[in-house]
Amino acid sequence: MTPLVLTRFTAVNALGRGNAAVLEALTAARTGLKPCTFEKVRLETYVGEVAGLDELSVCERLAEFDCRNNRLAELALEQDGFAAGIAQVRAKYGPRRIAVILGTSTSGILETEHAYRQRDARTGALPASYRFATTHNLYASTDFVRRYLDLEGPAVMISTACSSSAKVFASAWRLIEQGLCDAAVVGGVDSLCQNTLYGFASLDLVGREPCRPCDAQRGGISIGEAAGFALLERPEQAASHSGVALLGYGESSDAYHMSTPHPEGAGAALAMRRALASAALAPAAIDYINMHGTASQVNDSMEDKAISAVFGSHTACSSTKGWTGHALGAAGITEAVISALCIQNGIRPGCLNTRSIDPGFTSQVLLSNQSGAVQRVLSNSFGFGGSNCSLIFGAHP
Amino acid sequence: MTELWIEGVGIFAPGLIGWEQAAPVLAGRQPYAPAEPPKLAPALLPADVRRRTTDHIRLAVEVAGEAVRHAQADAAALWSVFATSESDGAISHNICEEVAKAVPEVSPTRFHNSVTNAPAGYWCMAVQSHAPSISLSGFDASFGAGLIEAGVQVRAERCSVLLVAHDAPFPEPLHSVRPMNALFGVALVLAPARSARSLARLVVAIEPTLHALSRLPDAGLDGLRTGNPAARSLPLLAALARREAVELFLPYVHSQALRVNVQPV
């Protein structure tokens, strides 16, 4: 495929606000995970919560969109000059030529959770202050972001569980390739809510301690929240860019089970092979693999098998969820931004919190950060329903 | 502009149970007589799997299966796009009710069925498809957003794509804040080139100026169209049923429209 450059990108997650905060925590090996105190949730677990969201509200002109998910989206849009940068390309291409393609799993369902605690005792009705279309609805955060950025190009919310904001890159590439737009804002936003905390707990997937991806004693996931955005353009049309490009993508379906991946990682391997084929790269061209690596027993085991099958045992790989937690529908963009930071800064993170690698693993899992040039990174995102997406990012002159 | 060829159709809604029954109604040759639809029991889901699913999932698999049979397509080879405004409203309601309690007990099956791509997951398992699949929302323009995603997949990837759009009414109290008047499911098999199975050629473009949306002459059907996001596809289905060359305007995001040129073959 023809590469697209990431003109600019940004992220907000448990590590902080903006790329510098994320990079600093990565290099300092400092986790963003803390014991869960979210909304009196009675679960003994750690979460990757974004500090300060309760004190924010969205901009006044879009007040009807105010909710945790959109606050998090706006917070990210204001980091690293992202929104200001979009204003420049809007003037260049026109608002109808820039797409907004985002991912989420639960959108603003937290607002509905609040409203359900305030139902009219007699009629069961929701409180009059409750707004549905601008908060709970899946498309709400895409609508919020495209209004915030004054964009009128193709827009959609992709919701394929934990691969949502990885698949946005594939969808945006197709739109640009087919000429439906000149540039695309891609990204994702997912915020903490009781639906996911209690839901993952019901499946016994939530860990009691900060998650330890690929560890022999890994005990489950730490749920996080995050937002991130990237602007994609054709290299020849970008006035300047981040030095990182999207080189390839691969998507596949497990067709195996709703909440358990294929034990041998067949679907994951297929997504990685398709990504390599679309980038016209051999496995040896990849310097680092940012794993999905949730720290659940089955995910990490199948992902190790899939990586070993495609790459052998020499390609460095790790999961950065020990830093950020699992941001679900925002995991793809969070780890796309981390991949870009790794390329820009020549770092390959280890698996934070992990003490000893599962002795059954055959891939080259890193325990601690390594420095040195990183030309190309493959980033994995796998979701419930067997939805797999692998992305390849590379240095672009 | 995106050129596509329709090879198969599936539909399930009150008074529109399968394409064979629905086509003469949509063509205006038979009156529209909405009635409580039969229980959804798609043959592609084995009984033990079907029991673990919801009507939202069964609706998607039902229409997807019909469209693929109609197109005589290789189901496993098709890419798929599942468009829904609201995902599974009954599950959203149930889990929000549960987490409002002092000690929530969320059902694990219900939780994994709550992901927006649950229908896609069951579909891929049912037909053993490892092809890419996307689930998406565009609120009231979800069908239009799905048609754009499916269209660019067909052109950019040179693949055939199964497009499914489906939504069902919420239970109360969410029904009052996001009303829908009936459930509606539609599926289309879209191919990159004309074949012996082609039913019509579509040319889809995002209309640059505001444009009035296409409506249906029958008041009952037009009420169905405006009462469910997936049913915004009805003018296209009616054109296919009438085998009529026509230019349609279907809702797209930001109150824009898709200009859809339909040419039967």
Side-chain angles (χ1 to χ4, degrees):
Chain A
M1 60 167 259
T2 326
L4 295 173
V5 287
L6 280 66
T7 312
R8 55 181 66 247
F9 58 82
T10 188
V12 170
N13 50 53
L15 301 180
R17 303 176 176 186
N19 296 334
V22 174
L23 180 63
E24 196 276 325
L26 277 176
T27 51
R30 190 178 58 248
T31 185
L33 301 177
K34 294 191 173 119
C36 178
T37 55
F38 180 73
E39 299 227 331
K40 298 176 187 162
V41 166
R42 296 172 184 213
L43 293 173
E44 191 192 328
T45 186
Y46 279 68
V47 292
E49 185 171 348
V50 172
L53 290 178
D54 288 333
E55 288 82 59
L56 299 176
S57 53
V58 302
C59 66
E60 205 169 314
R61 80 179 164 101
L62 297 174
E64 63 182 320
F65 285 86
D66 192 40
C67 66
R68 187 176 186 87
N69 217 51
N70 291 331
R71 289 174 190 183
L72 181 49
E74 180 174 320
L75 187 60
L77 290 170
E78 285 306 322
Q79 306 306 314
D80 297 297
F82 193 86
I86 298 303
Q88 291 167 15
V89 289
R90 191 175 62 233
K92 178 165 79 173
Y93 297 120
R96 296 196 61 133
R97 295 294 302 170
I98 305 172
V100 178
I101 312 295
L102 305 183
T104 194
S105 65
T106 49
S107 191
I109 201 166
L110 178 65
E111 289 298 305
T112 309
E113 294 176 3
H114 294 166
Y116 266 60
R117 282 182 232 143
Q118 301 164 48
R119 291 173 68 175
D120 186 287
R122 193 175 53 81
T123 66
L126 298 170
S129 58
Y130 172 69
R131 292 159 282 110
F132 175 86
T134 50
T135 64
H136 173 119
N137 174 259
L138 283 168
Y139 179 69
S141 290
T142 298
D143 201 20
F144 172 75
V145 168
R146 72 101 187 158
R147 287 171 194 263
Y148 191 84
L149 298 173
D150 290 317
L151 299 178
E152 297 166 19
V156 75
M157 183 62 89
I158 290 174
S159 188
T160 53
C162 304
S163 66
S164 302
S165 61
K167 288 174 85 77
V168 297
F169 285 90
S171 186
W173 183 85
R174 290 188 281 259
L175 283 169
I176 292 174
E177 197 269 344
Q178 285 295 303
L180 273 76
C181 59
D182 293 311
V185 173
V186 296
V189 51
D190 240 350
S191 43
L192 291 177
C193 61
Q194 304 206 24
N195 264 259
T196 46
L197 284 161
Y198 283 109
F200 279 103
S202 77
L203 288 161
D204 277 331
L205 289 174
V206 174
R208 286 168 171 258
E209 53 178 2
C211 70
R212 293 158 62 182
C214 302
D215 196 298
Q217 305 293 319
R218 63 189 178 278
I221 71 173
S222 300
I223 292 174
E225 61 186 343
F229 299 98
L231 173 67
L232 298 177
E233 282 183 277
R234 291 192 183 91
E236 64 276 15
Q237 289 188 299
S240 63
H241 60 77
S242 66
V244 177
L246 172 71
L247 303 182
Y249 60 83
E251 303 164 88
S252 74
S253 302
D254 266 14
Y256 177 73
H257 188 270
M258 271 308 296
S259 54
T260 304
H262 185 277
E264 301 300 314
L270 186 57
M272 288 187 266
R273 288 198 175 100
R274 284 175 174 163
L276 289 166
S278 98
L281 289 171
I286 302 298
D287 299 313
Y288 165 65
I289 298 166
N290 187 285
M291 301 170 73
H292 187 54
T294 60
S296 82
Q297 278 296 330
V298 288
N299 175 82
D300 294 6
S301 161
M302 77 82 191
E303 190 171 10
D304 168 73
K305 290 189 175 88
I307 289 172
S308 300
V310 177
F311 291 90
S313 57
H314 298 295
T315 305
C317 55
S318 72
S319 161
T320 46
K321 288 189 170 69
W323 272 273
T324 60
H326 186 1
L328 310 175
I333 187 65
T334 300
E335 288 157 35
V337 166
I338 288 174
S339 299
L341 290 172
C342 290
I343 292 166
Q344 284 182 330
N345 298 282
I347 54 166
R348 291 184 288 188
C351 285
L352 192 63
N353 313 329
T354 301
R355 292 164 213 163
S356 64
I357 296 162
D358 189 320
F361 283 15
T362 52
S363 60
Q364 187 66 43
V365 178
L366 300 179
L367 266 184
S368 56
N369 292 358
Q370 293 184 351
S371 55
V374 177
Q375 287 291 315
R376 294 177 207 89
V377 176
L378 180 140
S379 177
N380 281 334
S381 298
F382 309 132
F384 275 10
S387 177
N388 308 309
C389 185
S390 299
L391 302 172
I392 298 176
F393 297 98
H396 193 92
Chain B
M1 290 220 301
T2 304
E3 184 193 55
L4 311 163
W5 298 83
I6 295 185
E7 295 194 337
V9 186
I11 183 170
F12 191 97
L16 303 169
I17 308 299
W19 183 239
E20 199 176 324
Q21 182 267 320
V25 175
L26 294 172
R29 292 193 299 272
Q30 285 177 18
Y32 175 54
E36 186 68 21
K39 203 170 154 59
L40 278 156
L44 279 165
L45 296 178
D48 59 324
V49 175
R50 201 186 301 158
R51 268 196 301 277
R52 295 197 296 271
T53 61
T54 63
D55 271 345
H56 177 74
I57 294 163
R58 293 178 202 126
L59 175 60
V61 174
E62 173 68 29
V63 293
E66 188 196 359
V68 168
R69 281 194 307 278
H70 189 197
Q72 297 177 283
D74 173 3
L78 295 174
W79 290 41
S80 56
V81 175
F82 288 78
T84 176
S85 175
E86 303 307 338
S87 195
D88 199 320
I91 290 185
S92 294
H93 166 72
N94 179 280
I95 298 183
C96 285
E97 248 188 351
E98 199 54 47
V99 299
K101 295 177 183 168
V103 184
E105 287 188 25
V106 173
S107 142
T109 301
R110 209 170 259 143
F111 176 65
H112 75 215
N113 283 346
S114 77
V115 296
T116 310
N117 61 315
Y122 283 101
W123 168 255
C124 289
M125 283 190 275
V127 302
Q128 279 302 294
S129 172
H130 302 286
S133 177
I134 274 188
S135 301
L136 56 80
S137 171
F139 197 58
D140 277 344
S142 292
F143 178 76
L147 186 58
I148 288 292
E149 172 64 32
V152 297
Q153 284 186 6
V154 167
R155 303 298 349 154
E157 313 279 0
R158 299 298 294 175
C159 58
S160 290
V161 177
L162 169 68
L163 168 62
V164 179
H166 63 126
D167 268 299
F170 276 107
E172 287 293 1
L174 285 167
H175 178 75
S176 290
V177 294
R178 175 54 166 158
M180 288 185 211
N181 57 17
L183 93 175
F184 194 97
V186 58
L188 301 172
V189 174
L190 302 167
R194 184 172 179 164
S195 76
R197 296 176 304 280
S198 297
L199 304 173
R201 172 181 179 264
L202 295 189
V203 178
V204 181
I206 300 170
E207 178 66 15
T209 53
L210 283 178
H211 203 287
L213 298 174
S214 300
R215 306 175 58 156
L216 295 159
D218 181 276
L221 284 171
D222 205 55
L224 182 60
R225 178 183 69 85
T226 56
N228 182 307
R232 304 299 203 281
S233 58
L234 273 170
L236 171 58
L237 302 178
L240 292 174
R242 288 195 298 269
R243 305 191 51 73
E244 180 181 62
V246 65
E247 189 163 71
L248 301 171
F249 293 88
L250 302 181
Y252 189 53
V253 294
H254 334 313
S255 307
Q256 295 172 7
L258 296 183
R259 181 190 292 262
V260 183
N261 193 287
V262 187
Q263 190 72 47
V265 298

